[in-house]
Amino acid sequence: MTTTRRLVLGLMGAAFLGTNAFAQEVTLRLHQFLPAQANVPAHILDVWADKVEADSDGRIKIDRFPSMQLGGTPPQLIDQAIDGVADIIWTVAGYTPGRFPQLEVFELPFISTSAEATSRAYWELAEERMMDTDFAAFKPLGLWVHGPGLIHSSRPITEVSDLQGLKLRAPTRTTTTMFTGLGATSVGMPVPAVPEALSKGVIDGAVIPWEVVPALKVHELVENHTEFGDAHLYTTAFIFAMNQDAYDALPDDLKAVIDANSGAEFSAFAGRTMEEYDAPGRKLAEDAGNNIISLTPDQVEAWRTASQPTIDNWIAEADAAGIDGTGLYDAAIALIAKHSAGN
């Protein structure tokens, strides 16, 4: 080989290596609390991660760690995102009560219509009021809620008075307040703890959507399920977030990949998908021969009236804390109505 040819090949090789070095492949760790086969990991988080990997031409790799495999407990997930223990997390906002006071507006009783409309409203109101306050310590990727929450219990629940003496798992500060006010003994715990708590009698029931019933096998642990017609007794706010430093370290074109797959449309997709998976969970209870109690409109109205003090007290507490509870509630109602109408 001539000296000239060796020189040319050497320069070409150097250029090739330089280009690959500039390509900067990135591995991000996604940490969450449910088993990998549960609906949210399988049909929402994996969809997001697969799309990010594909859109980045493989330059971003998402390593997925279900069931708290990176250590810690579900309430620690948000700090893991802030501290960089994980690069991306999915969590329930209510696992850290009081930490995200403004988003609690979406968890108030009977405020939600559909999960998709409420998730759109949640992201939109967050952009207006929460990104520099509640969410300032990390980068939100998706904000959404689940479909209608209902009561799964060891004894039938029809009237509000049926809650008296019932030990009931509640997922958030607002639902804990509501069910305590309605006469139940509210017990806060992350959702993965529900099966053992039911089987050992630590709780007599739980409020969760149908969607998560298969993963927890709740239909095998209780026989009664109380639905509220078209109304949503409550819902739960979720946070899908990225460590800010991990995001900032990405080159601009990879930031664009993350951004294109996050935000309002992804939040709406996530909420809609969770609600779509309510039906299979309900069918498991039907197939088991369980008692599904569908409340009449008049019965639902009685629950709505009994729950109103939870809303009034939340607004008063928020106003007193200087975060404009009245304005947040009115804005949330208006945004949910707008998105429910398809505007």
Side-chain angles (χ1 to χ4, degrees):
M1 182 182 296
T2 66
T3 301
T4 301
R5 181 171 172 75
R6 279 196 296 268
L7 178 60
V8 170
L9 290 174
L11 290 172
M12 289 173 62
F16 177 79
L17 289 172
T19 301
N20 276 356
F22 183 73
Q24 192 175 350
E25 293 186 359
V26 177
T27 298
L28 301 173
R29 297 157 298 161
L30 194 167
H31 197 204
Q32 54 87 21
F33 57 89
L34 286 179
Q37 67 272 21
N39 288 322
V40 170
H43 303 295
I44 298 173
L45 304 183
D46 280 351
V47 170
W48 182 88
D50 290 346
K51 185 75 161 41
V52 165
E53 289 178 343
D55 289 357
S56 69
D57 293 326
R59 292 170 58 203
I60 297 177
K61 183 176 185 297
I62 310 289
D63 284 346
R64 302 125 201 239
F65 296 91
S67 302
M68 302 305 300
Q69 287 179 354
L70 290 180
T73 63
Q76 294 172 327
L77 279 165
I78 201 67
D79 283 321
Q80 291 184 355
I82 293 169
D83 298 338
V85 173
D87 301 301
I88 301 167
I89 62 92
W90 172 63
T91 192
V92 173
Y95 286 170
T96 49
R99 188 159 182 176
F100 305 105
Q102 296 182 88
L103 64 75
E104 287 182 349
V105 68
F106 292 105
E107 299 177 329
L108 292 172
F110 296 103
I111 192 172
S112 184
T113 54
S114 73
E116 179 175 358
T118 305
S119 297
R120 287 188 183 277
Y122 177 14
W123 181 271
E124 190 170 333
L125 194 60
E127 283 198 312
E128 291 178 8
R129 301 178 183 234
M130 303 178 202
M131 295 304 185
D132 295 329
T133 52
D134 290 32
F135 304 144
F138 50 83
K139 179 177 175 58
L141 302 175
L143 304 168
W144 69 87
V145 302
H146 61 60
L150 60 149
I151 301 171
H152 310 263
S153 53
S154 57
R155 67 174 190 247
I157 303 295
T158 302
E159 309 296 334
V160 173
S161 59
D162 294 333
L163 291 175
Q164 293 293 325
L166 190 78
K167 294 176 291 185
L168 193 66
R169 178 266 178 182
T172 65
R173 192 179 77 89
T174 48
T175 50
T176 297
T177 300
M178 176 178 68
F179 284 109
T180 299
L182 296 179
T185 299
S186 297
V187 181
M189 66 179 66
V191 75
V194 166
E196 183 177 5
L198 283 172
S199 65
K200 292 185 175 180
V202 174
I203 55 176
D204 305 309
V207 285
I208 54 174
W210 282 118
E211 172 273 328
V212 79
V213 162
L216 303 180
K217 301 188 184 304
V218 169
H219 60 293
E220 299 176 6
L221 297 166
V222 301
E223 296 181 353
N224 300 282
H225 314 269
T226 303
E227 298 180 320
F228 291 77
D230 293 332
H232 290 215
L233 172 64
Y234 82 97
T235 191
T236 300
F238 300 101
I239 298 173
F240 185 47
M242 185 171 183
N243 174 268
Q244 189 66 53
D245 289 339
Y247 175 80
D248 291 341
L250 295 174
D252 287 346
D253 62 336
L254 294 188
K255 287 179 184 175
V257 170
I258 297 291
D259 293 344
N261 286 285
S262 306
E265 291 306 317
F266 173 70
S267 299
F269 158 77
R272 180 175 66 251
T273 301
M274 284 196 79
E275 190 158 6
E276 286 172 352
Y277 277 94
D278 282 341
R282 190 182 194 279
K283 189 173 188 307
L284 284 177
E286 289 177 346
D287 292 346
N290 288 3
N291 179 30
I292 299 178
I293 302 163
S294 298
L295 300 186
T296 67
D298 286 345
Q299 289 171 325
V300 171
E301 191 58 34
W303 283 82
R304 191 187 298 271
T305 300
S307 301
Q308 186 61 41
T310 298
I311 298 173
D312 297 338
N313 292 338
W314 183 88
I315 291 173
E317 288 176 2
D319 284 343
I323 61 171
D324 187 18
T326 303
L328 275 170
Y329 184 76
D330 290 346
I333 290 288
L335 286 171
I336 292 170
K338 179 184 82 168
H339 291 297
S340 295
N343 295 333

